Amino acid sequence: MTWLAGLAAATMAAGAVAALAAFACSRLARFLESRDAGAEALVAAGALLPLLVLLDRRRVLRWSYGLELASGRLELPGVGRLLGLVLLSTLGGALLLAAARLAGPGPGSRWLDPRVLGRRLLILAVGLGALAAGVLLVESLRLGGGALRAAGAPLVGIVLGAVWLAGASALLLEAPLHAEHSTLAHRARSATAVAAALAVLAAAAVFAESWLGAGSYATAPAAAAVSVALVGLAALPPTRLQSLRTGLLAVMLLSLLLSPPVAR
Amino acid sequence: MKTLGAPWVSAAAALALAALLHPAAGAEGWSGADASRAALALLLLFSLFAAGGPWRWLALAVAAVAGASGYDAVRGHRGLLRLEPGGASQNFEEAGPRGRPLGLRPLGFEVWLQRYEAGHAVLGIGSTGGDAKLVVTPTRAAAWGGFRLGSPRRVRTGEAAALRVSINGPSGTHALDLVPGAAASAGDLQIAVEEYFPDFALDERQRPFTRSNEPRNPAAVLQVKKGERAWRVFVIAAMPGIHRPEGLDRSFSLVSVTPAETIELSVAREPAAPLAAAGLVFAAAAVVSTVSKA
């Protein structure tokens, strides 16, 4: 790895951290404005579900998970079962919370409160997700370099999804939140700008690396990096869907860092 | 002007341009991709400019990057240089948008491949540079005459360097190595390669063609002469001894193929690249200014 490639990777990692911080501040600011923890939990579950479905080419739907290594596919059946359970409990929790919202604030059943059951299922999903990530990490470390590289992107996705769901579940449990809306909104704006600036700097580093290394900047890595920088620019304007745009920037930076496009 | 400068316009234009630029979107195959990118870049530029204040600095940076890459797309040159070890060339195969071949373009100097080892190509430069030598590695390109040469790699040409054929006859089985373009003798036979298919297949009209340059299903048509008589013999590695020519007491099998390889380098002349890089660095500073001044 050349020093420019190292600089680009470090800038992308720092940009992803800043974008994730901006995303968290943005969601919390939104929660302080609406005081609707159920909506936050539904958004988190709604983001985690497609991630789980898309993992390993939708194989989690068949209770299976594996890593594509240079030597061939390596099945990890334990991780597949755990991820299948995460999918089911997240789906169940989200459906129960959505049903409770649709039913309105009236009194629920004496025997079964869908809000409580939905909350418990989401907490179960967080625990199972952490367990799945742990097993995947241990297995990848045991297998070595190639496996760890192959598991990197899904592992980060599962961990981030579980952390987001954990945060939303904490809001459902009415965890104390010592922050003000204006402070969080300001922090979200600043962190978004830092993330976008770092995404643009990372694009400059990848651009220079392509030009000096491959002889041209018309390469797939440079195009991908400039594309992510544009997502950073798109996150800046003060308009609607702020947290969605910031979250997209974080995802794009992480995917560029963990699975960069091949030059040719 | 007010609508053009609305925040959602610049956000939407930047997102759409990002989607069209990302390699995973596969927009390269779409003929309208370049025009759409240019239109979206202009929309983003005007939208940022119309937003006023610190956004105009960002518009300036976007203009530098878009202008530089547009200039290089129109006035620059990109393509591939293929060299055999010891071989020389004064031209490269230029490629246009979406990899469309544009034919040969002169380099303005002669370049020859002195050697290729462990991914490193050592090039000699001809008439203008005397004994000048360039070393191109997978991680470092080299510049000469306004061009940058990089990414040296060994590629298969789709031709065969040699074919090993076994001949089965009354006196036993003999192996013979054939080099395309040269005839070889096997007893009373003269054998030459007429046509080679690295990945043989038949099209819907039963005409032979090759599906790829990789020797996945190698086959060849051999020209066999014995005295005044001549035969065309088809051999395919997957089915040894398939063809026994009428009037000849031998059968032929294709045993193995040594694929012909060449060294390929990417060639580019991108005079506006430094401006584009400077525009990106300036854009990072402009991004920070949009928040600090907000």
Side-chain angles (χ1 to χ4, degrees), chain A residues 1-4 186 189-190 192-198 200-201 203-205 207-221 223-240 245 248 252 255-256 261 263-264, chain B residues 7-8 10-12 14-15 17-19 21-23 44 48 55 58 62 65 68-70 72-73 78 80 136-142 148-151 153 264 266-270 272-274 276-277 279-281 283-285 287-288 290-291 294:
Chain A
M1 183 188 270
T2 63
W3 71 269
L4 264 172
H186 177 71
R189 272 199 305 277
S190 306
T192 302
V194 170
L198 287 169
V200 177
L201 277 181
F207 184 97
E209 166 69 13
S210 285
W211 195 62
L212 295 172
S216 168
Y217 63 82
T219 61
V226 171
S227 168
V228 175
L230 281 164
V231 173
L233 294 192
L236 287 174
T239 184
R240 299 177 68 152
R245 287 180 283 136
L248 182 64
M252 296 288 284
S255 64
L256 188 61
R264 148 188 324 270
Chain B
W8 68 267
S10 44
L15 277 177
L17 187 55
L21 270 177
H22 203 284
L44 176 63
L48 289 171
W55 297 98
L58 201 48
V62 169
V65 177
S69 53
D72 281 342
R78 292 170 183 136
L80 293 170
V136 185
T137 73
T139 56
R140 195 52 64 220
R148 292 189 73 79
L149 309 171
S151 305
R153 61 223 167 253
E264 193 176 82
S266 61
V267 183
R269 186 199 287 269
E270 293 165 340
L280 281 171
V281 175
V287 164
V288 176
T290 59
V291 170

Side-chain angles (χ1 to χ4, degrees), chain B residues 123-149:
Chain B
L123 306 173
I125 303 294
S127 54
T128 56
D131 291 332
K133 194 193 277 185
L134 292 180
V135 180
V136 185
T137 73
T139 56
R140 195 52 64 220
W144 191 268
F147 286 98
R148 292 189 73 79
L149 309 171

Side-chain angles (χ1 to χ4, degrees), chain A residues 29-57:
Chain A
R30 194 181 166 86
F31 167 71
L32 286 175
E33 206 173 32
S34 66
R35 290 282 166 190
D36 189 353
E40 290 303 313
L42 280 176
V43 170
L48 185 58
L49 282 171
L51 170 75
L52 289 167
V53 169
L54 292 173
L55 269 180
D56 194 19
R57 298 177 193 165

Side-chain angles (χ1 to χ4, degrees), chain B residues 212-277:
Chain B
S212 69
N213 283 348
E214 295 298 312
R216 294 193 184 103
N217 185 28
V221 177
L222 306 179
Q223 207 173 62
V224 180
K225 284 184 184 169
K226 185 181 179 184
E228 293 298 308
R229 293 192 67 187
W231 294 265
R232 289 178 84 232
V233 179
F234 176 72
V235 285
I236 181 164
M239 287 180 269
I242 184 177
H243 195 59
R244 184 184 283 271
E246 207 176 300
L248 189 64
D249 55 350
R250 322 278 165 91
S251 69
F252 299 82
S253 301
L254 180 58
V255 179
S256 63
V257 173
T258 308
E261 292 180 326
T262 187
I263 306 304
E264 193 176 82
L265 296 106
S266 61
V267 183
R269 186 199 287 269
E270 293 165 340
L275 176 63

Side-chain angles (χ1 to χ4, degrees), chain A residues 89-238:
Chain A
S89 48
T90 309
L91 184 64
L95 286 175
L96 282 168
L97 286 178
R101 282 173 78 82
L102 283 174
S109 161
R110 262 194 304 163
W111 306 104
L112 184 74
D113 186 343
R115 290 178 191 84
V116 175
L117 192 56
R119 197 168 62 202
R120 283 178 184 165
L121 278 173
L122 290 187
I123 293 167
L124 178 68
V126 171
L128 288 168
L131 198 58
V135 174
L136 181 56
L137 179 66
V138 168
E139 287 288 327
S140 312
L141 286 172
R142 191 175 61 79
L143 292 164
L148 201 58
R149 262 196 301 279
L155 191 60
V156 169
I158 296 165
V159 168
L160 288 176
V163 166
W164 186 5
L165 197 59
S169 303
L171 294 178
L172 274 177
L173 291 168
E174 295 175 8
L177 188 60
H178 304 291
E180 285 180 21
H181 172 262
S182 59
T183 314
L184 282 174
H186 177 71
R187 278 185 191 161
R189 272 199 305 277
S190 306
T192 302
V194 170
L198 287 169
V200 177
L201 277 181
V206 174
F207 184 97
E209 166 69 13
S210 285
W211 195 62
L212 295 172
S216 168
Y217 63 82
T219 61
V226 171
S227 168
V228 175
L230 281 164
V231 173
L233 294 192
L236 287 174

